[in-house]
C-alpha cells in the first residue's frame, strides 16, 4: 500500500487552527506584511485571492471580499465586480502554473452546504486535470495533494505576479 502525504492537514483534523481569539481568517485588511504566511496571493481594492490551507487539490484558491459578510446580496457592485475579476485572474494564474483541464468554481452557503466558514463569504476555484484523483474522496475519504502547500504558493505567487 502507498502512503499519501499531506502533513499540514493534521492541524485541521486536530482543530489546532480553531483558535477563537484569532478571529475570521478572511478579515485580513490591515495585515499585508503577513501575506506570505497567510497564503494571500493577491490583494485588490475590495477583495483578495488566498490559497486554501486545506485544499481539495493543489492550487485550490479562494476569493473573498475584505468586508465581513455572509450574504452575496450585501456585496456592493464594486465588491461583486472585483470578486468576479479576481476569479478570472485566479483562473489565469492557475492556467499559467499548472495548465489544468478545467475548474470547479462555486460557493458553499451554510454549514449544511459544506461551508467551513459560514460568516464570511468566499468563492472556491479548484483546478482539475484529466485523470486526477476524483475517486479518492468518494471511495476512501482521502484527497491526494502531490505538492507541498508552500511550494505551490511560491509557484502561484510567481504566476500571479506575471499577470498583474
Amino acid at each position: 500500500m502507498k502512503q499519501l502525504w499531506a502533513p499540514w492537514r493534521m492541524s485541521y483534523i486536530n482543530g489546532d487552527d480553531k483558535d477563537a481569539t484569532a478571529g475570521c481568517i478572511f478579515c485580513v485588511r490591515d495585515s499585508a506584511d503577513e501575506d506570505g504566511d497567510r497564503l494571500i496571493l493577491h490583494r485588490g481594492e475590495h477583495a483578495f485571492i488566498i490559497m486554501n490551507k486545506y485544499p481539495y487539490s493543489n492550487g485550490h484558491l479562494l476569493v473573498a471580499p475584505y468586508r465581513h459578510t455572509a450574504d452575496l446580496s450585501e456585496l456592493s457592485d464594486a465588491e461583486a465586480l472585483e470578486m468576479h475579476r479576481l476569479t478570472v485572474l485566479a483562473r489565469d494564474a492557475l492556467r499559467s502554473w499548472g495548465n489544468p483541464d478545467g475548474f470547479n468554481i462555486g460557493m458553499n452557503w451554510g454549514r449544511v452546504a459544506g461551508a467551513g466558514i459560514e460568516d464570511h463569504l468566499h468563492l472556491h476555484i479548484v483546478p482539475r486535470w484529466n485523470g486526477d484523483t476524483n475517486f479518492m474522496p468518494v471511495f476512501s475519504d482521502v484527497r491526494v495533494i502531490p505538492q507541498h502547500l508552500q511550494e505551490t504558493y511560491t509557484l502561484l505567487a510567481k504566476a500571479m505576479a506575471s499577470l498583474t
Side-chain angles (χ1 to χ4, degrees):
M1 173 171 285
K2 294 184 180 184
Q3 293 178 325
L4 303 175
W5 182 250
W8 58 87
R9 291 207 42 92
M10 202 62 208
S11 61
Y12 176 76
I13 292 166
N14 290 333
D16 297 343
D17 288 347
K18 293 181 180 160
D19 179 1
T21 63
C24 175
I25 67 162
F26 293 120
C27 290
V28 300
R29 189 60 161 154
D30 297 324
S31 58
D33 57 323
E34 300 174 359
D35 283 359
D37 293 335
R38 296 185 81 171
L39 304 176
I40 296 171
L41 289 166
H42 178 79
R43 286 176 174 263
E45 185 178 344
H46 304 286
F48 62 100
I49 301 169
I50 186 171
M51 289 181 64
N52 189 326
K53 194 172 181 181
Y54 307 105
Y56 293 120
S57 71
N58 279 97
H60 181 167
L61 303 181
L62 305 165
V63 174
Y66 292 117
R67 190 160 57 88
H68 188 86
T69 182
D71 191 341
L72 191 62
S73 68
E74 292 179 5
L75 292 180
S76 69
D77 289 347
E79 289 169 321
L81 178 59
E82 187 167 52
M83 284 189 68
H84 173 78
R85 288 186 173 156
L86 291 183
T87 300
V88 173
L89 176 62
R91 181 217 49 200
D92 291 347
L94 288 166
R95 279 185 175 160
S96 175
W97 158 75
N99 198 29
D101 299 307
F103 301 89
N104 291 116
I105 297 175
M107 294 182 183
N108 302 323
W109 287 346
R111 186 153 310 276
V112 71
I117 298 168
E118 298 176 68
D119 297 334
H120 198 129
L121 188 71
H122 57 283
L123 182 128
H124 295 257
I125 303 126
V126 181
R128 304 304 299 267
W129 292 267
N130 284 323
D132 67 9
T133 57
N134 290 339
F135 71 94
M136 291 299 285
V138 174
F139 289 116
S140 60
D141 197 28
V142 172
R143 293 185 180 111
V144 178
I145 310 296
Q147 185 177 57
H148 192 278
L149 198 59
Q150 283 303 136
E151 185 178 349
T152 304
Y153 176 82
T154 300
L155 294 170
L156 276 171
K158 189 183 300 182
M160 188 73 61
S162 74
L163 296 170
T164 57

